[in-house]
Amino acid sequence: MQNPKCGDGDWFAAGMAAAQPRGTQTLEVSGLTVALPTEKGEIRPVSDVSLRVAPGEIVGIVGESGCGKSMTARAVMGLIPAPGRIIAGSVRLAGREIAGLSEREKRAIRGSEISMIFQEPMSSLNPVMKVGWQVAEALRLHSDCTREEARTRTLAAFREVEIPEPEARLRQYPHQLSGGLRQRVMIAMAMICRPKLLIADEPTTALDVTVEAQILRLLERLREGGTSILLISHNLGVIARVCDRVYVMYAGRILEEAETTVLFDQPLHPYSRGLLRASLSLREGVEPLETIPGGVPNLLRLPAGCGFGPRCACRRSECDAAMPELRVVEAGHRVRCFH
Amino acid sequence: MKQLILRRLGQALIVLAGVALMIFVMLRIVPGNPIETMMGEHADRATVARMTAEMGLDRPLPEQFIQYLGNILRGDFGTSYALGRPVTELMAGAFGNTLILALFAALFSWGLGLLAGIVSAVWKNRAPDRIFMGFSLLGISLPVFLAAMALQYLFAFQLKWFPVSGTGSWKSFVLPAVALGWNSAGQVAQITRTSLAETLGEDFIETARAKGRGTAGVVLIHALRCAMLPVMTVMIIQFSSLLSGAVITETVFSMNGLGRLMVQAISGRDLPLLQATALFATAVAVLGSLAADILCALLDPRIRREA
Ligand SMILES: Nc1ncnc2c1ncn2[C@@H]1O[C@H](COP(=O)(O)OP(=O)(O)OP(=O)(O)O)[C@@H](O)[C@H]1O
Ligand code: SF4
Ligand SMILES: [Mg+2]
């Protein structure tokens, strides 16, 4: 890696987007399939997943627990836990194929061109190291800043994510910070090298509502600065608030893809409709709470045909015969269902 | 931090005083008169009575205890009944050997144990792990005297690389240290493996990878420090037990260390020596746990704050 990033800069000023040729997606995943051997047999937690994130776009992945959202994110980061591996598909970052890179090359990208924040801001920070050091570490891994420069940049990063009293916070340990502050530290760490893509895996799930709103606003401001964001959540409310487009995922597959407004106005897949109804009834306190009947399928024993079949109210005989393809309904709206 | 140290030091003193009392009482309620034991079966009653009076053993117990405490505080542990030399002098000589042996053994066991534990945790359930864990199980289950005698036979009698026994040069400490350390190395390896493997599964490890750390950086910079807490506690317990003497190893290799001194004291009913060795072992254990607490607090800021 050359050392491009030791200057200071305003993350929220436009600029990152201009660095890429027009029309190139920041992230373009196609046909991504992850195989994970387990004791009882091999599973495919991610199966033929294609998605894209344009410069300055916030794209959501939504789905129930265990549907493969985090695994997709890990695959993009090149961090699939052994012995899992990518067995098919490609991952392009700003036009460059990164799925087949060596570990060394991937390490150079991680934290500098793609970075990631996680659900649990408490356990995601090293409990025995000062947070300032941990943020500076990301910078020092990817540039040959001096200690002093790294400190200055870290301080600036703390200011960017609106951490109050940044000088004092630098020297504190994670347990001395609140959940919201920790997540801000995580964002500062993720953004300090000004990556092209930020993957946020359930970034607000562990936070209360007001803090959630603050963090979401922060993400929006980052997007205004040109950063592309892939936002993973099982909470449709979060998705609705900030995402431009959404992918609905189920049992390792994409079931529907649409612009957020389109998905919320006219969801086509029975699963998407179920998720929406459940989320609406949750928000409005409707009793009884509407849920999708049944549970997430066992990836070892996926039903034949449409994976959602056993829980689907619209199921017909042809649904059990074959897995439906993702079919284009209109520009930018695709759905994996026969109807 | 300073407060923590002071408070623990105070606790340590109280424990020591309590133990001093216990040792004192226990040694006096066991049946048999030490003077009789010392002088043999044929000593005449008058002499025994005179000696008992001379050593103050006929006074009331509380008075004896206060005198005993006073002496200890002045650094006077009395004169060995059996050997006729000041206890402090005997202890100092033996402690020198024990200290060298303990340092050698600790160096060997911690180096090997940490290395094996780290390798095993990183390659958990793969070949390097199985090999190292096989050895560490062997280390834990092999009785020390067997290891000692095997080493002695192979490297001293047959290959003649090291002296068979004694405490002559640094070379004579190598085999006993390995025999002793082998066992501790197994313990260190196992606890390092468990603790490090658990730490490697924590969320912040994924964060470290996500910011571009490689395996070496993740393990050595991020995981090891967190994983060291239980490991260090075990290490310090081991070291304090090493410091109070290793009876079996010292016996096999005929070394004059604290372990053998204590055995001599017990078999000779040598009250002053016995009191001193027992008190010393306690002091080492108490200081060891103090050291462990301080080191843990240094390693982990969360503990520092609770304190
Ligand atoms: N280390 C692993 N070993 C075995 N199976 C795993 C492992 N990690 C994940 N899986 C399986 O892979 C599937 C996808 O997991 P993933 O973590 O991507 O789900 P998710 O959509 O992120 O769910 P959540 O909302 O709970 O975070 C799950 O069915 C899970 O059981
Ligand atoms: S393909 Fe059939 S079973 Fe699957 S979601 Fe559509 S209607 Fe339901
Ligand atoms: Mg997840």
Side-chain angles (χ1 to χ4, degrees):
Chain A
M1 283 295 297
Q2 72 273 43
N3 170 18
K5 290 167 179 163
C6 232
D8 219 325
D10 183 359
W11 298 350
F12 305 117
M16 293 304 290
Q20 290 165 30
R22 280 179 74 87
T24 310
Q25 304 289 333
T26 305
L27 177 71
E28 189 155 21
V29 173
S30 53
L32 185 69
T33 304
V34 172
L36 186 62
T38 67
E39 276 159 29
K40 293 180 201 134
E42 191 182 84
I43 57 170
R44 303 260 162 98
V46 178
S47 184
D48 192 22
V49 164
S50 301
L51 54 85
R52 66 194 159 82
V53 186
E57 197 179 27
I58 303 186
V59 171
I61 302 181
V62 69
E64 284 164 301
S65 187
C67 69
K69 305 182 295 290
S70 299
M71 202 56 88
T72 307
R74 289 201 188 105
V76 171
M77 294 290 291
L79 284 176
I80 299 170
R85 68 205 159 89
I86 296 178
I87 54 169
S90 93
V91 178
R92 288 174 168 277
L93 184 69
R96 175 186 177 205
E97 176 62 48
I98 58 169
L101 293 183
S102 70
E103 180 56 29
R104 198 191 168 80
E105 291 165 313
K106 277 191 248 177
R107 234 157 63 202
I109 292 177
R110 270 182 225 138
S112 76
E113 294 186 47
I114 318 180
S115 51
M116 188 160 172
I117 60 175
F118 303 91
Q119 172 170 345
E120 278 295 335
M122 176 69 220
S123 50
S124 299
L125 286 164
N126 191 325
V128 302
M129 289 170 170
K130 293 178 179 155
V131 291
W133 190 90
Q134 297 187 52
V135 173
E137 180 190 16
L139 184 65
R140 290 172 57 193
L141 277 171
H142 297 288
S143 69
D144 37 17
C145 281
T146 64
R147 201 170 285 263
E148 201 40 50
E149 281 170 329
R151 206 192 104 86
T152 317
R153 289 277 318 269
T154 305
L155 200 58
F158 273 37
R159 293 213 174 90
E160 296 274 12
V161 296
E162 294 159 0
I163 293 176
E165 302 169 56
E167 281 99 351
R169 299 295 181 191
L170 285 181
R171 291 186 300 273
Q172 290 189 318
Y173 291 95
H175 71 266
Q176 296 171 298
L177 306 181
S178 68
L181 276 183
R182 285 184 211 127
Q183 197 59 293
R184 284 172 197 267
V185 169
M186 285 296 292
I187 295 176
M189 181 194 298
M191 291 303 297
I192 197 161
C193 292
R194 306 201 60 186
K196 300 184 173 82
L197 176 71
L198 172 67
I199 302 178
D201 190 353
E202 312 257 8
T204 61
T205 307
L207 305 175
D208 65 45
V209 193
T210 34
V211 182
E212 172 177 272
Q214 293 165 0
I215 297 289
L216 290 180
R217 263 202 302 282
L218 194 57
L219 292 182
E220 282 191 304
R221 288 185 55 209
L222 289 175
R223 173 260 293 280
E224 281 155 23
T227 310
S228 309
I229 298 175
L230 185 62
L231 177 67
I232 292 171
S233 183
H234 62 253
N235 182 339
L236 275 170
V238 168
I239 299 273
R241 236 177 308 165
V242 291
C243 291
D244 303 308
R245 292 188 304 108
V246 193
Y247 293 86
V248 179
M249 211 171 160
Y250 184 80
R253 287 181 187 269
I254 303 283
L255 295 191
E256 186 162 4
E257 165 196 351
E259 284 179 15
T260 312
T261 46
V262 174
L263 185 82
F264 277 73
D265 287 347
Q266 35 175 306
L268 291 181
H269 199 285
Y271 180 60
S272 314
R273 274 185 243 144
L275 281 181
L276 265 173
R277 265 199 307 274
S279 138
L280 273 179
S281 76
L282 187 67
R283 179 142 32 112
E284 283 155 20
V286 179
E287 293 287 340
L289 207 61
E290 230 181 295
T291 54
I292 309 173
V296 186
N298 186 333
L299 288 177
L300 281 168
R301 279 177 272 111
L302 281 180
C306 175
F308 186 60
R311 299 171 71 186
C312 183
C314 320
R315 176 185 183 188
R316 291 196 228 142
S317 56
E318 72 255 40
C319 300
D320 297 336
M323 164 77 71
E325 292 296 315
L326 257 185
R327 152 175 81 82
V328 179
V329 186
E330 54 183 326
H333 194 170
R334 299 196 297 166
V335 61
R336 191 188 290 279
C337 176
F338 290 119
H339 308 288
Chain B
M1 195 66 202
K2 215 181 270 168
Q3 263 185 349
L4 169 90
I5 297 177
L6 283 177
R7 209 174 55 213
R8 294 286 154 85
L9 214 54
Q11 289 169 354
L13 277 177
I14 295 172
V15 171
L16 271 179
V19 171
L21 177 64
M22 269 170 53
I23 293 172
F24 181 84
V25 170
M26 270 174 3
L27 288 181
R28 274 158 186 79
I29 57 176
V30 289
N33 182 330
I35 304 295
E36 278 172 14
T37 320
M38 189 174 85
M39 317 247 325
E41 284 172 27
H42 308 294
D44 69 285
R45 290 190 160 272
T47 323
V48 170
R50 190 172 47 82
M51 293 277 293
T52 308
E54 224 169 67
M55 295 190 170
L57 292 178
D58 56 347
R59 307 268 172 76
L61 278 186
E63 196 187 322
Q64 283 190 41
F65 183 65
I66 288 175
Q67 200 185 11
Y68 159 72
L69 267 190
N71 287 343
I72 288 178
L73 290 179
R74 280 196 304 276
D76 175 9
F77 289 85
T79 305
S80 159
Y81 293 173
L83 302 166
R85 288 166 57 201
V87 167
T88 32
E89 195 184 304
L90 289 169
M91 297 264 301
F95 179 66
N97 289 333
T98 292
L99 181 66
I100 300 175
L101 179 60
L103 286 176
F104 269 56
L107 212 67
F108 171 78
S109 108
W110 296 351
L112 188 66
L114 275 179
L115 185 76
I118 292 172
V119 168
S120 297
V122 173
W123 285 276
K124 197 173 174 193
N125 294 332
R126 310 237 288 275
D129 179 28
R130 306 233 154 138
I131 293 169
F132 273 120
M133 282 306 115
F135 273 106
S136 79
L137 199 65
L138 195 68
I140 288 177
S141 43
L142 193 69
V144 173
F145 76 91
L146 257 183
M149 294 201 308
L151 287 168
Q152 196 178 40
Y153 177 76
L154 191 63
F155 293 101
F157 283 116
Q158 293 298 323
L159 296 170
K160 299 197 192 314
W161 289 353
F162 299 99
V164 174
S165 64
T167 48
S169 70
W170 66 270
K171 273 192 169 178
S172 45
F173 287 95
V174 172
L175 291 183
V178 171
L180 261 183
W182 190 248
N183 183 293
S184 327
Q187 286 176 16
V188 171
Q190 298 218 331
I191 188 127
T192 306
R193 172 184 185 261
T194 311
S195 174
L196 187 58
E198 194 188 315
T199 309
L200 284 174
E202 303 257 357
D203 291 347
F204 67 84
I205 295 301
E206 190 161 22
T207 308
R209 286 193 196 284
K211 66 175 126 171
R213 277 277 178 213
T215 305
V218 163
V219 172
L220 298 176
I221 296 174
H222 281 275
L224 202 53
R225 187 161 159 198
C226 296
M228 277 309 280
L229 289 179
V231 180
M232 221 172 45
T233 310
V234 166
M235 285 177 162
I236 288 183
I237 292 173
Q238 285 179 351
F239 194 65
S240 44
S241 106
L242 284 176
L243 274 186
S244 21
V247 179
I248 294 169
T249 312
E250 285 170 15
T251 310
V252 173
F253 290 96
S254 326
M255 308 173 86
N256 291 316
L258 285 178
R260 284 223 292 175
L261 197 62
M262 193 187 276
V263 171
Q264 275 175 19
I266 294 170
S267 55
R269 299 201 119 264
D270 195 340
L271 265 194
L273 192 55
L274 198 47
Q275 271 167 186
T277 46
L279 206 56
F280 180 80
T282 316
V284 166
V286 169
L287 288 180
S289 98
L290 178 70
D293 284 348
I294 293 172
L295 281 174
C296 285
L298 283 179
L299 272 186
D300 192 334
R302 289 166 297 184
I303 299 178
R304 231 174 291 161
R305 202 167 69 146
E306 276 165 29

